[in-house]
Amino acid sequence: MSLRDILISQIHAQGPMRLDDYMSTCLLHPQHGYYTTRTPFGAAGDFITAPEISQMFGELIGLALAQAWLDQGAPARFTLAELGPGRGTLMADALRAGSRVAGFLEAAQITLLEASPALRAVQAQTLTGQTPRWIDSISDLPEQPTYLIANEFFDALPIRQFVRDGARWRERQVGVEGDALVFGLGPAQPQPALAHRLEDTKDGDLIEDCAAAAPILTTLCARIQAHGGAALVFDYGDWRTLGDTLQAVQNHAPVDPLATPGHADLTAHVDFEALLDAVAPCTPSRITPQGVFLERLGITARAQALAKTLGGPTLKAHITAHRRLTHPQEMGNLFKTFGIVPGGAPMLPGLEI
Ligand code: SAH
């Protein structure tokens, strides 16, 4: 039975499905989920992420976290964590660069939050020689200083969508028509959690809510505030959601999110306002364009040093990769980053202003 057939029979039995349930089933169903069954990153996959574009991305992040570790007195034992590490490339590059900082690697306990068994296996291979520990939930982070990275993790968390109807909201749901999955709207209902959005929306506007995001940050920030540490989050999104940003990608091209469940990546823009609201009592940096951040960390100097070792097509690919990560018309502006440190601690390098 395909995932499409499973979803259709479930909807026939139980009625229309919430979008967050649809998303999490498509992405993480144990037998048919998108992340559970494949390694989707890279030229041969469905999409490409910053660490897969160039080693410079993970290297600079590793050094930024190592600097924060030094700034906070270089604790002798700490968690070096990643949320949704994909192929493990970012962590491998961060560790290689971090090994240049005396004591950093020896003190680091690598901890990976990853839901997909298939990707855990890939991460184990990429990180051969290391001893990462995998966790199922953010609350499994040990009670110790925690330095963490999350690249394109929050956009993979399931969202709900609501369309305003007077002072109430109609939830967007997945139903069945004939043998096709279709979007529909549930009945108008009050949504007390969305009361603040009655101020800045009008009838017919669609807003999104990612309930899973805030508790992850709240738990993480409790660790960072209590024991020290820092976090760096990269994603694409907006300040306060407005409009439908659900997106399905297959073979590097957009597809209908309902057409091929389990075979396309599903993401939504992150709501940076909601993320920053969840970090108290830690201090967040400003939301900073990825390109600006990487330039401040010295990506151009690193690119020039690497270029000296390259020639021909690899040099050309390297120049393209640098541009792709930083140029405002490529990922440089679309992707944003922010840092998190304990209240009163120095901000991560590149995010001080
Ligand atoms: N950070 C990587 C991969 C981004 S794709 C990169 O930049 O290349 C999203 C990652 O998050 C995948 O590893 C996916 O399996 C994981 N993921 C998605 N939802 C998750 C969840 N609810 N819990 C844990 N991991 C999740």
Side-chain angles (χ1 to χ4, degrees):
M1 211 180 189
S2 71
L3 185 56
R4 208 169 148 277
D5 293 338
I6 293 172
L7 287 162
I8 287 175
S9 58
Q10 193 175 326
I11 292 167
H12 275 141
Q14 297 168 11
M17 193 176 214
R18 272 166 40 172
L19 184 55
D20 55 347
D21 293 332
Y22 175 77
M23 257 181 107
S24 56
T25 307
C26 288
L27 293 177
L28 295 173
H29 185 278
Q31 281 88 45
H32 304 284
Y34 181 73
Y35 286 121
T36 24
T37 54
R38 69 192 76 209
T39 308
F41 324 97
D46 290 315
F47 61 96
I48 190 151
T49 57
E52 303 298 333
I53 290 174
S54 168
Q55 68 186 72
M56 297 187 290
F57 187 74
E59 289 172 349
L60 292 169
I61 287 168
L63 292 175
L65 291 179
Q67 183 63 55
W69 173 76
L70 290 171
D71 287 345
Q72 293 182 36
R77 178 187 275 250
F78 72 92
T79 305
L80 182 60
E82 184 170 355
L83 307 182
R87 297 179 59 213
T89 309
L90 197 169
M91 182 56 83
D93 292 336
L95 291 171
R96 195 179 55 255
S99 71
R100 301 295 187 92
V101 177
F104 183 68
L105 241 53
E106 294 71 16
Q109 296 185 321
I110 301 160
T111 304
L112 308 173
L113 176 72
E114 174 56 66
S116 157
L119 287 175
R120 284 185 182 202
V122 177
Q123 291 153 18
Q125 259 196 335
T126 308
L127 296 170
T128 302
Q130 309 290 338
T131 45
R133 173 177 166 236
W134 283 269
I135 55 173
D136 297 321
S137 155
I138 193 85
S139 54
D140 299 334
L141 280 176
E143 294 285 350
Q144 61 181 11
T146 301
Y147 293 79
L148 177 140
I149 166 76
N151 183 59
E152 291 207 53
F153 169 75
F154 286 98
D155 67 354
L157 297 181
I159 56 155
R160 295 167 75 181
Q161 292 183 327
F162 298 92
V163 176
R164 182 161 171 185
D165 182 346
R168 295 183 295 173
W169 301 89
R170 300 181 68 185
E171 180 155 13
R172 202 155 176 238
Q173 299 171 325
V174 180
V176 177
E177 223 169 67
D179 61 356
L181 293 167
V182 292
F183 281 119
L185 288 178
Q189 283 174 337
Q191 294 287 348
L194 301 178
H196 62 297
R197 297 309 306 267
L198 292 174
E199 291 156 23
D200 69 330
T201 53
K202 56 182 186 331
D203 238 15
D205 279 350
L206 183 151
I207 62 166
E208 296 176 335
D209 182 46
C210 179
I216 292 175
L217 279 170
T218 304
T219 305
L220 167 68
C221 290
R223 292 289 186 287
I224 293 178
Q225 183 67 25
H227 306 286
L232 262 175
V233 175
F234 291 81
D235 236 307
Y236 58 99
D238 317 286
W239 188 260
R240 213 166 246 226
T241 79
L242 186 60
D244 172 18
T245 73
L246 179 69
Q247 172 176 311
V249 169
Q250 201 172 356
N251 299 324
H252 299 270
V255 293
D256 175 349
L258 301 185
T260 55
H263 296 280
D265 186 35
L266 293 178
T267 59
H269 284 195
V270 306
D271 179 349
F272 284 108
E273 181 186 47
L275 295 188
L276 289 200
D277 277 350
V279 309
C282 285
T283 306
S285 73
R286 283 178 196 242
I287 308 287
T288 304
Q290 171 177 300
V292 171
F293 175 64
L294 294 176
E295 289 299 349
R296 287 183 188 155
L297 291 182
I299 194 170
T300 299
R302 179 65 181 138
Q304 284 165 349
L306 279 173
K308 287 196 189 117
T309 67
L310 304 171
T314 46
L315 177 59
K316 220 174 144 198
H318 170 62
I319 292 167
T320 308
H322 178 204
R323 184 188 151 89
R324 221 170 147 189
L325 287 180
T326 55
H327 196 281
Q329 275 160 2
E330 305 228 17
M331 290 174 83
N333 227 1
L334 178 66
F335 280 78
K336 314 268 197 272
T337 184
F338 65 93
I340 302 168
V341 291
M347 184 43 72
L348 286 142
L351 296 171
E352 302 96 332
I353 48 168

